[in-house]
Amino acid sequence: MKRSRWRVGQSIGALVLCALTSFTAYSGDYKTILIHGFNPSQLANPNGTDVVGDGQSYWSSYWGNKADERIDWPSYERIEGKIASQWLWPKLKQFSESNLCEPGCVLLTHSTGDLVARYLIDNQANWLENAGLQPLNIVATFDLAGAGGGSELADTAVSALTSGKVWSEIVEEVLKEWLGRTTVEAVGVLNDLKVNNARKLAPLPESRAPRLRFVANSDDYYGITGLFLKGDHDGVVSSHSACGASKAAKFGSCSSQIAMDGLLESQSDAVSGFMPYHYPLIMADGYTHRNIRKGENQGKVTVAQNNINVAGRNIGYETFDKTKGFWIFKEKYRYVKNSDNVSVSELVYSMMP
């Protein structure tokens, strides 16, 4: 895989794509590790799944050649079971023995990769120390459309697939659109993605590595899945999960002062509290759960928070305000500079010279 680095002392203002972040690494070169999300196709044929090949394909649309390492895992297993023992642990051991993260590692996750990363962060030091190995120096995570708070779709799917009861036509359509089928051989990580289960999995990791959130907010799957999701959502994950909210509720923004579309106005339905060290950075109103990890621009994005401390430095984006309308109908919006030309993934990658 192509090696992407976070170089010491490099001026962010000079970075490609003009991401305009104030972040610079304080020690050495940071390495990037990808952790993919839920792959529904694997539930149909666990024995015939090429987990590594699927992992490579998952990131091929943009991130595949822009990271140092990748952690693959099978969606037909559970996180605390074989995903941890057969997929996370061998990679952690490899990274520690090769000193990959000695200068610092950044995890780049999408969807359920957010939940997998939280479990990894909570346990990696203990696992490696017990094996006589050095724990990894994980300095931050960048979570695209993070599902760390679970998804109501998983609750619906597990109930329908395991109950043996006849479900409604709308549930059948949800299963067809999201999972691609109405029968599976294994439920696997869908159990971990159920909202209550997800929020009980490693909820208070000792690590203080900041978890920066990049939140999509546009309907997907023809709007069918959104009928089962709370508040604003990206077609798969509700805002309470993607924003990193401390509770599952119906939220309309990650910020109390900025709407998902950048409108500068008090948000009465905003997230009121966050999980430890979770910081929503970008809210991307035109992006869906699936396309936020890709390289295509889907319109301007805004910030929920800015200038977040990562390893002793601030990370944030330069923004600009724009007034729309006229007379008493004027409204002010805030956008990330250059976000009308590049994708969210490009904005993230532009921090990684």
Side-chain angles (χ1 to χ4, degrees):
M1 303 178 76
K2 184 178 178 180
R3 304 181 70 82
S4 65
R5 302 178 183 276
W6 303 55
R7 302 187 191 281
V8 180
Q10 185 157 358
S11 169
I12 300 302
L15 291 181
V16 64
L17 298 177
C18 300
L20 300 166
T21 169
S22 59
F23 176 68
T24 53
Y26 76 98
S27 177
D29 294 337
Y30 290 177
K31 306 296 169 54
T32 304
I33 301 172
L34 304 177
I35 305 179
H36 65 74
F38 170 57
N39 192 328
S41 66
Q42 296 180 347
L43 302 185
N45 185 24
N47 294 328
T49 294
D50 178 3
V51 176
V52 175
D54 285 351
Q56 182 177 7
S57 177
Y58 192 96
W59 297 108
S60 62
S61 61
Y62 182 79
W63 286 99
N65 63 348
K66 294 178 172 63
D68 298 278
E69 275 290 351
R70 194 181 70 237
I71 296 177
D72 304 317
W73 55 274
S75 293
Y76 53 79
E77 299 289 1
R78 300 292 301 274
I79 293 175
E80 292 182 290
K82 290 184 178 180
I83 291 176
S85 63
Q86 297 184 8
W87 297 89
L88 297 186
W89 168 243
K91 279 291 188 176
L92 294 176
K93 186 172 181 289
Q94 172 194 326
F95 297 161
S96 179
E97 290 175 338
S98 66
N99 296 318
L100 175 75
C101 297
E102 184 175 358
C105 274
V106 173
L107 306 182
L108 189 289
T109 80
H110 176 252
S111 189
T112 312
D114 167 28
L115 187 58
V116 173
R118 192 169 79 217
Y119 188 71
L120 181 158
I121 289 170
D122 193 37
N123 290 283
Q124 63 95 9
N126 184 50
W127 293 346
L128 290 167
E129 286 175 348
N130 286 342
L133 296 170
Q134 183 69 27
L136 306 185
N137 177 22
I138 299 172
V139 299
T141 74
F142 289 79
D143 303 304
L144 307 177
S151 172
E152 291 82 3
L153 291 184
D155 292 77
T156 300
V158 171
S159 177
L161 293 169
T162 61
S163 66
K165 299 178 181 179
V166 177
W167 52 74
S168 67
E169 290 184 5
I170 187 63
V171 170
E172 183 172 7
E173 286 303 312
V174 167
L175 296 180
K176 286 181 179 178
E177 289 296 330
W178 186 39
L179 303 182
R181 61 190 64 246
T182 56
T183 59
V184 296
E185 292 296 319
V187 177
V189 80
L190 281 179
N191 280 305
D192 297 315
L193 270 178
K194 293 172 66 175
V195 172
N196 287 339
N197 290 348
R199 289 184 169 274
K200 292 176 182 176
L201 186 68
L204 300 170
E206 293 184 5
S207 171
R208 296 187 177 184
R211 309 209 62 188
L212 278 61
R213 322 289 290 178
F214 298 81
V215 180
N217 187 54
S218 187
D219 232 330
D220 212 345
Y221 300 103
Y222 307 102
I224 296 173
T225 56
L227 299 173
F228 295 83
L229 297 169
K230 289 183 178 180
D232 281 23
H233 59 83
D234 60 19
V236 174
V237 173
S238 296
S239 54
H240 71 78
S241 187
C243 294
S246 57
K247 63 180 180 180
K250 187 176 180 180
F251 296 118
S253 178
C254 306
S255 167
S256 61
Q257 300 299 320
I258 307 175
M260 286 280 192
D261 64 356
L263 176 64
L264 291 172
E265 184 177 82
S266 179
Q267 303 295 303
S268 60
D269 60 352
V271 175
S272 55
F274 298 92
M275 288 187 279
Y277 314 114
H278 283 58
Y279 306 97
L281 181 54
I282 281 181
M283 298 187 295
D285 190 56
Y287 289 77
T288 68
H289 188 80
R290 290 182 291 184
N291 66 29
I292 195 171
R293 77 176 192 265
K294 300 181 180 180
E296 294 81 20
N297 174 264
Q298 302 294 331
K300 294 188 289 294
V301 303
T302 190
V303 290
Q305 300 180 28
N306 216 351
N307 298 316
I308 298 166
N309 186 288
V310 176
R313 296 291 190 273
N314 289 330
I315 182 169
Y317 289 96
E318 184 176 335
T319 63
F320 68 96
D321 294 347
K322 182 176 182 178
T323 301
K324 298 181 181 181
F326 64 96
W327 196 33
I328 62 173
F329 304 106
K330 285 184 178 180
E331 293 179 322
K332 184 178 288 187
Y333 290 77
R334 178 162 296 161
Y335 300 117
V336 172
K337 189 172 182 179
N338 206 39
S339 64
D340 55 340
N341 296 318
V342 300
S343 68
V344 169
S345 283
E346 287 175 299
L347 288 173
V348 175
Y349 180 63
S350 64
M351 303 175 194
M352 306 177 182

